[in-house]
Amino acid sequence: MFTIKKEPFIKTKADALLIGLYDKPLKFEGVLEPLDAAFSGQLTELVKNGDLSAKKESASVVPTLGQIPAKRIVTAGLGKEKEADFHAIHKAVKKAAKQSKQYGLESIAVVLDSFVTENITAVEAAEALTEAFFMARFEYTGYRTPGNEPEKQLKTIDVYTEGDPVEIKAACEVGKTMADGTNTAIRLTATPPNMMTAADLALHAKKLADQYGFELEVLERADMEKIGMGAFLAVAQGSVEPPKMITLKYNPADSWEDVLTFVGKGITFDTGGYSIKPKDGIVGMKTDMGGAAAVLGAMEIIGELQPDRPVMAVIPATDNVISANAFKPDDVITSLSGKTIEVKNTDAEGRLVLADAITYAKQQRAGKIVDVATLTGGVVIALGKDKTGAMTNNEPFFEEVLEASREAGEMIWQLPLTEYDKKRIRSSDVADLNNSPGRNGHAIMGGGFIGEFAENTPWVHLDIAGSAELTPGVMTRTLAILALSDQSE
């Protein structure tokens, strides 16, 4: 798909020519000077008249009217050159890609060096714009009947640069891989719940295992009963859909030590159980497996890019529904860890399935754990929808996750976990733990409950209840970047 070229871009016959515009006095200088010259300075006039903008995150599509062989020019406004970074390119190209999608582009040429500055290398620009471009172009069409005319597909991307062709092409491939993994997470989350059951999640995991050589284990209900996954099974007991505890293992080394582990909440539909959600709140609960989707998307990226460290994914998958067999408020259940739990709220089910999943991950020699879950409405109240709430029992590990999130451009914000909070979580007269000690500090109560099972294993909790709604697929790239980060530093 990617062809790296050092010849003059002005001769390309692509459907569109993508350029980066920095907000500086001479917009079409340097590498873009021949382009403005081909239009006899008219592009500069368009900027002066406000028809073209270099302001941050602006985008325009300009027909070339035969002045150059390319059919149209797509501009990505990058703002001030000294303020530009990976994320500025990412945001601008995303907008440009969305704006140009309607034209059914089959070929595109990128003037890569128009994005390069003293602070941004050609390699960094290539990865940023490729990742953003393919993320922006993705659309989940679901089960709509297709139209009479087949949709045109992008077939070729020619990248014009003076940079090293091997490095640039590799960066483009990494960017597309990151986008593809994120888009997979979006697709899984958007799939209707009758078509994305626990068995369907297990089937997707099997496809990843077959494609990338991962070791796959899927525990069935009988397996879980045998080892005592009482917390997970309590949530699953009301459903006719068989629950699945899905484990994927990627091991590039001879030893299985210090395993980075991702645990993703896989509630494929959440009615709230007997603590039933209101009619407005229950719509959209197919997305309650967004954590599982992010983990599976990250594992796809890991399979493609092959990091040096072992990585494990653990996904407790079931739905939370009502039946004569469903668990009830006031029930006491025994988790895989042996800790007993008083159920005060059956709609606080995510922390229950994650409790057993984390215990199981530790039994599988997890060295560090990140759990990802659409866990609480409380995190939205606390932080809004643009931030993922985070909690931890290990500050150095949290810093690693935080750095990965910054690189991905996915904001996380740490919430406190105090001894007072832990007392509330343990405030039951009949069991070791209380799964819902009240509305105050709801997000902290949910994350802190999970922390009771992480115990001394380095752990970071990511509550994506708000951020996944605003940005579907969130945390997929953060997890992948964490797995790919150089641990020798």
Side-chain angles (χ1 to χ4, degrees):
M1 171 174 277
F2 300 103
T3 304
I4 315 302
K5 297 185 174 183
K6 288 198 172 186
E7 60 200 60
F9 67 84
I10 205 75
K11 296 180 180 180
T12 180
K13 296 180 181 179
D15 291 338
L17 182 68
L18 174 62
I19 63 172
L21 276 186
Y22 283 104
D23 193 6
K24 53 187 179 181
L26 295 176
K27 307 294 191 295
F28 293 92
E29 64 180 359
V31 67
L32 292 179
E33 190 173 346
L35 183 61
D36 195 34
F39 283 80
S40 302
Q42 289 303 303
L43 295 180
T44 295
E45 290 301 314
L46 288 175
V47 172
K48 290 179 180 178
N49 296 334
D51 296 307
L52 273 181
S53 176
K55 300 296 183 185
K56 188 181 292 186
E57 295 181 51
S58 62
S60 303
V61 181
V62 180
T64 61
L65 303 177
Q67 297 301 303
I68 59 174
K71 293 180 181 178
R72 53 188 65 83
I73 299 169
V74 179
T75 67
L78 300 167
K80 299 296 183 183
E81 192 170 4
K82 64 181 180 180
E83 299 172 1
D85 58 12
F86 184 99
H87 302 301
I89 294 175
H90 203 280
K91 291 175 181 178
V93 172
K94 240 184 168 181
K95 186 163 186 179
K98 287 179 179 178
Q99 198 151 324
S100 62
K101 187 179 178 183
Q102 61 181 302
Y103 298 101
L105 306 179
E106 294 184 285
S107 60
I108 187 166
V110 180
V111 186
L112 180 62
D113 294 345
S114 65
F115 293 86
V116 175
T117 70
E118 289 184 2
N119 300 322
I120 302 170
T121 67
V123 169
E124 291 168 333
E127 183 177 341
L129 69 87
T130 308
E131 182 180 296
F133 188 82
F134 283 96
M135 286 176 65
R137 284 178 62 84
F138 176 76
E139 181 182 2
Y140 177 75
T141 57
Y143 297 88
R144 295 197 298 259
T145 304
N148 293 327
E149 291 190 17
E151 185 178 345
K152 293 182 179 179
Q153 300 295 322
L154 183 65
K155 298 175 182 175
T156 61
I157 298 180
D158 293 335
V159 181
Y160 290 84
T161 179
E162 291 300 315
D164 181 273
V166 175
E167 291 184 353
I168 299 299
K169 186 166 185 176
C172 289
E173 296 288 358
V174 168
K176 185 176 186 302
T177 296
M178 288 286 187
D180 288 346
T182 304
N183 294 340
T184 291
I186 295 170
R187 178 178 58 78
L188 292 173
T189 307
T191 302
N194 59 323
M195 299 175 184
M196 187 49 63
T197 64
D200 292 312
L201 278 176
L203 181 60
H204 183 81
K206 184 179 185 304
K207 290 178 181 177
L208 292 179
D210 291 343
Q211 184 171 354
Y212 299 115
F214 298 150
E215 180 184 334
L216 171 67
E217 176 192 71
V218 180
L219 298 184
E220 304 292 346
R221 189 189 299 271
D223 303 316
M224 292 182 263
E225 289 172 348
K226 185 176 180 180
I227 63 175
M229 284 188 174
F232 180 26
L233 288 171
V235 177
Q237 72 188 42
S239 179
V240 297
E241 292 289 343
K244 310 285 183 181
M245 181 64 83
I246 304 162
T247 303
L248 283 171
K249 295 179 179 179
Y250 163 78
N251 189 10
D254 294 331
S255 62
W256 186 249
E257 301 292 340
D258 192 30
V259 181
L260 179 63
T261 302
F262 304 142
V263 180
K265 175 185 172 185
I267 300 295
T268 58
F269 194 83
D270 182 18
T271 68
Y274 276 108
S275 305
I276 193 167
K277 295 177 183 291
K279 64 177 182 179
D280 292 335
I282 206 168
V283 175
M285 281 297 106
K286 66 179 182 179
T287 64
D288 210 19
M289 39 66 70
V295 168
L296 289 169
M299 291 303 291
E300 179 181 319
I301 297 170
I302 288 164
E304 288 287 341
L305 300 184
Q306 302 280 302
D308 293 332
R309 67 190 303 174
V311 183
M312 175 168 57
V314 180
I315 296 170
T318 185
D319 51 11
N320 181 27
V321 297
I322 299 172
S323 75
N325 295 324
F327 77 135
K328 308 171 295 297
D330 290 336
D331 281 357
V332 172
I333 57 182
T334 303
S335 68
L336 178 61
S337 73
K339 294 178 182 179
T340 56
I341 303 163
E342 182 181 11
V343 177
K344 287 295 188 181
N345 181 1
T346 62
D347 196 22
E349 86 298 329
R351 65 200 70 178
L352 298 178
V353 302
L354 290 169
D356 278 354
I358 282 180
T359 301
Y360 189 68
K362 288 162 60 179
Q363 292 177 356
Q364 301 297 307
R365 300 171 73 179
K368 295 177 179 177
I369 297 173
V370 182
D371 81 78
V372 191
T374 49
L375 200 72
T376 66
V379 79
V380 185
I381 303 301
L383 299 178
K385 293 184 178 180
D386 63 326
K387 294 170 283 293
T388 291
M391 297 175 71
T392 190
N393 64 1
N394 187 287
E395 289 298 330
F397 182 44
F398 175 74
E399 288 298 323
E400 292 178 34
V401 178
L402 181 63
E403 182 57 35
S405 76
R406 286 172 176 159
E407 189 173 334
E410 299 179 323
M411 188 187 303
I412 65 175
W413 194 264
Q414 187 177 0
L415 297 169
L417 179 60
T418 66
E419 288 303 314
Y420 174 74
D421 298 322
K422 293 175 183 179
K423 284 182 180 179
R424 290 182 62 201
I425 293 164
R426 298 165 186 166
S427 62
S428 170
D429 295 331
V430 295
D432 299 322
L433 302 172
N434 178 339
N435 89 317
S436 187
R439 293 180 60 83
N440 295 340
H442 186 205
I444 295 173
M445 294 301 99
F449 181 93
I450 297 167
E452 292 288 317
F453 298 86
E455 297 177 316
N456 295 324
T457 302
W459 157 78
V460 171
H461 163 65
L462 299 174
D463 190 339
I464 60 171
S467 55
E469 183 178 345
L470 183 67
T471 311
V474 71
M475 290 298 121
T476 301
R477 288 175 297 133
T478 292
L479 296 180
I481 290 168
L482 180 64
L484 291 159
S485 60
D486 186 356
Q487 297 304 298
S488 64
E489 294 179 357

